[in-house]
Structures are given as C-alpha cells and as structure tokens.
Amino acid sequence: MPQTLVQTPTSLTAPTPTPTVLVAPQQPAGQQCTRCIMDTTVPGIHFDARGECNFCALHDKLDRDNPLGEAGEKYVQSAVADMKRLGRGKKYDCVLGVSGGRDSSYTLWYCVVKLGLRPLAVHFNDGFGNPVAGENMVKTCRKLGVELRTITSDWRESKDLKIAFLKASTPDIEEGTDVGIATALYGVAAKEGVQRIVIGQSFRTEGIAPLSWNFLDGKYLKAVHRQFGTVPLRRWSPTDPGFHLDLKEMFYYTIVRGIRTVTLLYHLPYVRVTVDELLERELDWVNPGAHYFDDLYQSVIYYLNRTKFNIDRRLFNYSALVRSGQMTRDEALEKCRHVNAIEDEKVINLCIKRLGLTREEFEQIVAAPVKTFRDYPNNYTLIRLLRWPIKIASKMRLLPESAYDKYFNCGT
C-alpha cells in the first residue's frame, strides 16, 4: 500500500493523557559538566581543563557559525528571497514539516506572518500522534490559510519497524518514524517541484543527541528490518519513498533535484516561554503536555531509555536551554531528579496495545541485552570516509547545517 495523502491528520483515538511526575532514585552521574548538565552517562563525552564538556564546545561552535542579531536577520532574508525566487510561478515556496508541537507551529507562523512565504505544511502520521497536537495542526493551518498535507504511512510497515527496533535492543527506538518524517518531506518536495524544506529545529533549545543515542541511517534501518521485520518494505519511488533514505536517495534529492533544508530557528532569537504565549494568543495553540509529546510513542521511548539504556534525553535538551540562558543549571538538575512527565503509564500501555503486543510480550522483547547501531550493518564507516564531502555539503546547506557535527562531533 503506498503512502496516502489526506487533508486532516489521524491519531490514536484516546483521551489526551495527563502526564504524572514520579520521583526517581538519583543515580551517580560520575563527572558532570560545570557549565551544562551533561555527564559521563553520555557516550563520547570529555571535559576540558575548566570542566566544560565537548558538547558545550560544539554549542559554541554552532553559535559562532549561526549568529543571531543582524547577521541572523541577513541570513533569514537571504533564505526567504531564495525560496520566493524558486517558488515563482509555483503554488508553494517551500515544504514545512509540522507536528503540532511548539517548534514547528512557531516556525509555520513565522514563515507566513513575518516572512510572507507560501509553505505547504506536511505532517507524517505513523498512527501514534497526540490528539492535542493533531488539533493544533488543523487550527494553525486553518488560521494561517496554509494547506496541510498528511502523509499516512503504511500501518503494517510502520508497526513492523517499531517492533523490529524493540527487538534490535538499541536506543534508536524511533528510527522508522525519524526516517519516515524525512522521506515524507523529501517525497512531497519532489512531487510538488519544491526545492526548499523548512525544519523547525534549534540547537539552542534542543541540543544535538549523542550519536549512539540516535543514529539516523537508511542502511541501518534496513539491516534491522531484515533481521527482525516480517512485513516487506515497498519499493522506493521519488514521490513515494516510504521508509527508504539511504545515501543514494539522499544524493538524488539533494544533488539531482536540488532540494535543500533550511533551519530558520538557527538564526532567530527563539525563546520558548515567549513563543508559548504567542502561539496561545495568535493560534489558540494548546501545549501537548511535554516537549516531544506531539508523538505519544515518546512515552515508550523515554521509559525504555531510562529503565533499559540508562539514558536521559533531557540531558542534551536541558543543557541546550542552560547554555542559551533559558533555564538555570540548578533548575535543570532538579528536573532530572524526577522521572520525565512524558512517561505516562496509561499512554505506554496504550502504545503497546496499538502495536498488538501484551505487556508481558513487550517486556520479554525489551529484556534482550543492550546493543547499539554498531551491532548491525550500517553506513558509519563510509560516512567517516566521506567526512570532508559531508562537511562541505553541510557548509553549503545541501544537508542540514548540523549534519556534519552530528556524525563527527557528537560523541561515539
């Protein structure tokens, strides 16, 4: 079954979850950065003479490479002029990924209201969307007069990939959805003849995940699927790529079709508290309950990260906010002493049921020994060999600006 295009998002037919906060026993962190809250549970971390970690150094590098103020405004205006030039005579200037969360909702609002762009809003639906986020998308696009196109994945493939990555026993539990989001954006851009994809992401508020915690690679996805999957993945086509995004597909989209990504929030003074107030006032936006909770499956991910992999993704999220002055270090440390509110037991059970598993079957699957992407065939060796071409492509923004740093400066 090919991906289908529908005008409204679908999601789990469940009441909006109310996350609960549970007190977790504090685990020894070993050495901890003196500036942010990253610690030695993060693979590949190291510290300088002042006790500051290499992720802080990466943040400072990205900050220099993507300055705010006059330089940031100059880049944004240049990017807008480029998108409008390429969109001349077409229905859309750009494709913009939306989820109903804060970041993408604000990016869409800014593109339409402040920049006068004509985006096509694209949402990838894998069957686990938060109903609150779904309503946000519909309301936002209606108020802004933007077309919302939802790419609904083949449910058999989507479910099979989720179960396969549970069985693979790696932290990259959301690999299928991450690849699906990217292919949905590239596929729609190719279909509509659009050459720019706008992404609502900011290193200043989210950080960049350590490589071993989130390795995005099409070859790796296929290797895990071959070993643990049961449903064949349909063949790739340019406008219906499914879950295929290997190096050759990236070459096609970026080089042959000239599609590039634009991360506007890298160049804008983006402050979450202020943005929440603006979205609520302008768009009647409702907070889904927690960062990333536009996707209910994040409850499962955070639960397994904590209980199986000894991973707290808030380390790099909150550290980014600390470095950006949007959260104090003490506040971040206090928050991490509690289980993340995103871990809602009702939602976890709902997601497990949605996968067609019992809780007992789920626990048996995740009891397997911990592994990483290195335990499966992947493109990492080839990526390392292509270090300089990837660096140049990132500088030219053929790839996202952070692509090079993701693979070469984010731990091991």
Side-chain angles (χ1 to χ4, degrees), residues 133-409:
E135 287 298 316
N136 282 340
M137 284 188 290
V138 172
K139 288 187 296 185
T140 295
C141 290
R142 184 184 300 125
K143 285 177 178 288
L144 295 175
V146 172
E147 179 186 344
L148 172 61
R149 188 174 299 179
T150 295
I151 306 301
T152 301
S153 66
D154 184 312
W155 170 241
R156 297 167 302 171
E157 294 180 5
S158 179
K159 182 174 77 169
D160 196 50
L161 281 168
K162 277 186 162 50
I163 295 174
F165 271 89
L166 289 175
K167 292 179 178 179
S169 207
T170 68
D172 317 277
I173 305 166
E174 194 79 318
E175 185 81 4
T177 297
D178 288 343
V179 170
I181 292 170
T183 60
L185 296 174
Y186 278 116
V188 171
K191 181 180 179 66
E192 297 295 337
V194 175
Q195 291 181 273
R196 296 295 179 263
I197 296 172
V198 178
I199 301 173
Q201 182 185 39
S202 173
F203 69 90
R204 293 183 176 90
T205 56
E206 289 188 89
I208 302 177
L211 190 64
S212 293
W213 291 3
N214 185 19
F215 181 71
L216 188 64
D217 175 20
K219 182 178 179 180
Y220 167 50
L221 179 146
K222 290 179 181 178
V224 169
H225 180 261
R226 278 196 303 270
Q227 185 167 342
F228 299 107
T230 59
V231 176
L233 297 178
R234 66 190 181 282
R235 295 174 64 87
W236 175 86
S237 73
T239 59
D240 181 27
F243 292 97
H244 300 279
L245 194 63
D246 211 332
L247 295 179
K248 63 180 182 297
E249 288 85 18
M250 284 299 299
F251 179 86
Y252 171 80
Y253 287 124
T254 59
I255 304 300
V256 177
R257 298 299 296 266
I259 300 172
R260 302 184 184 184
T261 57
V262 181
T263 49
L264 283 180
L265 296 187
Y266 274 37
H267 309 276
L268 298 174
Y270 180 65
V271 179
R272 281 186 172 174
V273 175
T274 305
V275 165
D276 281 357
E277 295 172 353
L278 181 147
L279 294 177
E280 290 165 6
R281 181 179 67 252
E282 298 288 327
L283 302 174
D284 194 26
W285 179 83
V286 178
N287 195 315
H291 191 50
Y292 299 132
F293 216 14
D294 42 13
D295 174 12
L296 295 182
Y297 199 68
Q298 291 290 330
S299 277
V300 176
I301 294 171
Y302 270 84
Y303 166 73
L304 290 180
N305 278 176
R306 178 176 62 85
T307 61
K308 177 171 182 172
F309 299 106
N310 191 32
I311 289 173
D312 189 342
R313 293 173 63 85
R314 294 174 297 179
L315 289 180
F316 67 86
N317 289 152
Y318 290 170
S319 288
L321 291 170
V322 170
R323 298 182 199 112
S324 301
Q326 297 188 39
M327 182 181 290
T328 67
R329 187 171 183 274
D330 287 343
E331 182 183 1
L333 289 171
E334 176 58 30
K335 284 179 177 290
C336 287
R337 292 191 178 98
H338 303 270
V339 173
N340 193 342
I342 206 170
E343 287 188 42
D344 187 301
E345 187 66 18
K346 299 189 297 297
V347 178
I348 292 171
N349 286 328
L350 180 68
C351 291
I352 293 170
K353 183 178 180 180
R354 182 79 167 121
L355 290 175
L357 302 172
T358 66
R359 185 64 185 245
E360 291 72 26
E361 289 171 331
F362 171 78
E363 296 295 351
Q364 287 175 4
I365 290 173
V366 301
V370 171
K371 296 184 179 181
T372 73
F373 73 88
R374 292 177 176 82
D375 294 299
Y376 301 95
N378 60 72
N379 280 316
Y380 189 52
T381 299
L382 178 58
I383 288 171
R384 300 291 295 185
L385 291 174
L386 296 173
R387 178 176 188 136
W388 292 110
I390 291 174
K391 185 171 187 177
I392 293 170
S394 294
K395 288 285 187 182
M396 295 176 62
R397 294 185 169 89
L398 293 172
L399 298 173
E401 293 100 314
S402 60
Y404 174 80
D405 293 306
K406 172 67 177 178
Y407 290 106
F408 298 100
N409 293 324

Side-chain angles (χ1 to χ4, degrees), residues 16-91:
T16 304
T18 303
T20 55
V21 179
L22 305 174
V23 177
Q26 188 176 1
Q27 300 296 323
Q31 186 174 355
Q32 192 162 47
C33 180
T34 56
R35 176 178 168 189
C36 69
I37 63 169
M38 298 284 269
D39 60 38
T40 46
T41 62
V42 177
I45 196 170
H46 54 83
F47 305 90
D48 63 17
R50 297 171 298 177
E52 292 189 9
C53 71
N54 51 308
F55 289 88
C56 283
L58 173 58
H59 178 101
D60 293 341
K61 171 187 173 296
L62 289 170
D63 206 34
R64 292 191 299 271
D65 292 344
N66 303 278
L68 300 176
E70 184 178 345
E73 179 65 23
K74 183 177 180 180
Y75 168 81
V76 170
Q77 292 305 317
S78 173
V80 170
D82 173 65
M83 286 186 273
K84 289 183 176 181
R85 175 182 60 82
L86 292 172
R88 194 173 298 129
K90 300 177 182 178
K91 190 175 180 180

